[in-house]
């Protein structure tokens, strides 16, 4: 008989909330909703706007797709933590994200800082809360699904609203 | 794990110090910093120093504390030299 408990659900929900707040906050503060970094990101932003979304949120989504940002940093840092068994896995992931950023013509602040802050968060998640870090990785997958996998216009309006509140609305 | 973490800290510290010694600014001078392509001792030098130390320790399988610190110092110095010449490897994109 399979014993069902609430513990994995609580761990997953906590991981989802921490990962979502981490990458959305870092990406907004680093200016992803302000302007597209490359032409493809601009095209995605305008396509989301044409479908009833928000331009700032659309630029945010386009920039996420076109270069490793804090969402990639959060996912890789938590996976690195789990694979190597400690925060040094997150440090290795931050290096990988930075090199990936430079290959994608991105100065690398959002991705690298997102990976470092995610390393700190997943360390707290594991060592202080005593949760399994693999649930943080799963939470991050669900977190990015809420932005890119359910409804682009609604997600872009939420992101655009947050960006304007944090003083990072579109510049053009 | 502890040896690699201490080695990574040594790598970050050595890279930061070496970067200052070879003339990189402590932090980006261009504003806003979040859009600057300039490199500094604070970013991305310690990230490369710490991450590179973990990578080298893993590849070599060195788990002793003294060896990890030694790797950290060597990788840190190399990281600062790499960052000072990073545009030869990753040139900044043309404006527009």
């Amino acid at each position: 008989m399979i014993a069902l408990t609430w513990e994995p659900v609580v761990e997953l929900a906590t991981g989802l909330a921490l990962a979502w707040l981490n990458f959305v906050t870092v990406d907004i503060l680093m200016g992803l909703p302000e302007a597209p970094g490359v032409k493809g990101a601009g095209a995605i932003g305008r396509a989301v706007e044409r479908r009833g979304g928000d331009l700032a949120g659309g630029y945010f989504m386009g920039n996420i797709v076109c270069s490793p940002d804090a969402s990639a940093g959060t996912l890789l840092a938590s996976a690195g933590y789990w694979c190597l068994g400690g925060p040094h896995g997150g440090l290795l992931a931050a290096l990988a994200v930075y090199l990936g950023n430079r290959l994608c013509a991105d100065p690398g602040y959002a991705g690298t800082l997102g990976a470092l802050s995610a390393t700190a968060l997943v360390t707290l998640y594991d060592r202080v809360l005593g949760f399994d870090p693999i649930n943080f990785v799963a939470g991050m997958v669900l977190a990015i699904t809420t932005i890119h996998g359910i409804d682009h216009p609604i997600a872009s309006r939420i992101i655009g609203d947050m960006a304007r509140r944090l003083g990072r609305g579109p510049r053009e | 794990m502890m040896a690699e973490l201490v080695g990574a800290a040594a790598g970050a510290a050595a890279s930061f110090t070496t970067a200052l010694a070879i003339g990189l600014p402590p932090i980006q001078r261009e504003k806003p910093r979040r859009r600057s392509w300039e490199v500094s001792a604070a970013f991305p030098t310690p990230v490369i120093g710490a991450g590179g130390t973990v990578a080298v320790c893993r590849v070599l399988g060195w788990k002793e504390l003294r060896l990890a610190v030694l790797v950290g110092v060597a990788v840190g110095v190399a990281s600062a030299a790499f960052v000072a010449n990073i545009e030869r490897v990753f040139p900044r994109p043309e404006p527009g």
Side-chain angles (χ1 to χ4, degrees), chain A residues 106-147:
Chain A
D106 182 329
Y109 298 101
T112 313
L113 297 179
L116 294 176
S117 58
T119 303
L121 283 176
V122 75
T123 304
L124 291 173
Y125 184 83
D126 179 25
R127 302 291 158 88
V128 177
L129 298 177
F131 293 167
D132 186 350
I134 196 64
N135 286 324
F136 193 100
V137 181
M140 179 57 213
V141 174
L142 294 178
I144 196 65
T145 304
T146 66
I147 301 295

Side-chain angles (χ1 to χ4, degrees), chain B residues 4-95:
Chain B
E4 284 167 309
L5 267 182
V6 175
S15 62
F16 184 82
T17 314
T18 311
L20 289 179
I22 61 178
L24 288 179
I27 195 162
Q28 275 75 359
R29 289 167 296 197
E30 295 172 2
K31 299 274 181 79
R33 291 195 178 101
R34 66 178 182 277
R35 285 200 289 273
S36 169
W37 281 91
E38 190 183 20
V39 290
S40 73
F43 186 89
T45 322
V47 175
I48 295 175
T53 303
V54 174
V56 172
C57 284
R58 279 277 150 170
V59 169
L60 297 177
W62 288 359
K63 299 206 170 142
E64 196 190 320
L65 186 65
R66 280 184 301 177
L67 287 174
V69 171
L70 198 66
V71 169
V73 172
V75 171
V77 171
S79 303
F82 173 70
V83 170
N85 297 287
I86 198 164
E87 295 211 6
R88 292 167 193 250
V89 184
F90 301 115
R92 69 177 74 187
E94 299 284 327

Side-chain angles (χ1 to χ4, degrees), chain A residues 19-70:
Chain A
W20 198 93
L21 286 173
N22 181 62
F23 87 81
V24 169
T25 309
V26 172
D27 275 348
I28 288 177
L29 291 177
M30 290 300 124
L32 264 69
E34 288 180 322
V38 292
K39 286 180 181 171
I44 290 172
R46 288 187 293 278
V48 170
E49 188 185 33
R50 276 198 302 274
R51 288 161 49 206
D54 181 271
L55 185 62
Y59 284 163
F60 178 99
M61 292 173 164
N63 283 324
I64 282 183
V65 170
C66 295
S67 171
D69 70 306

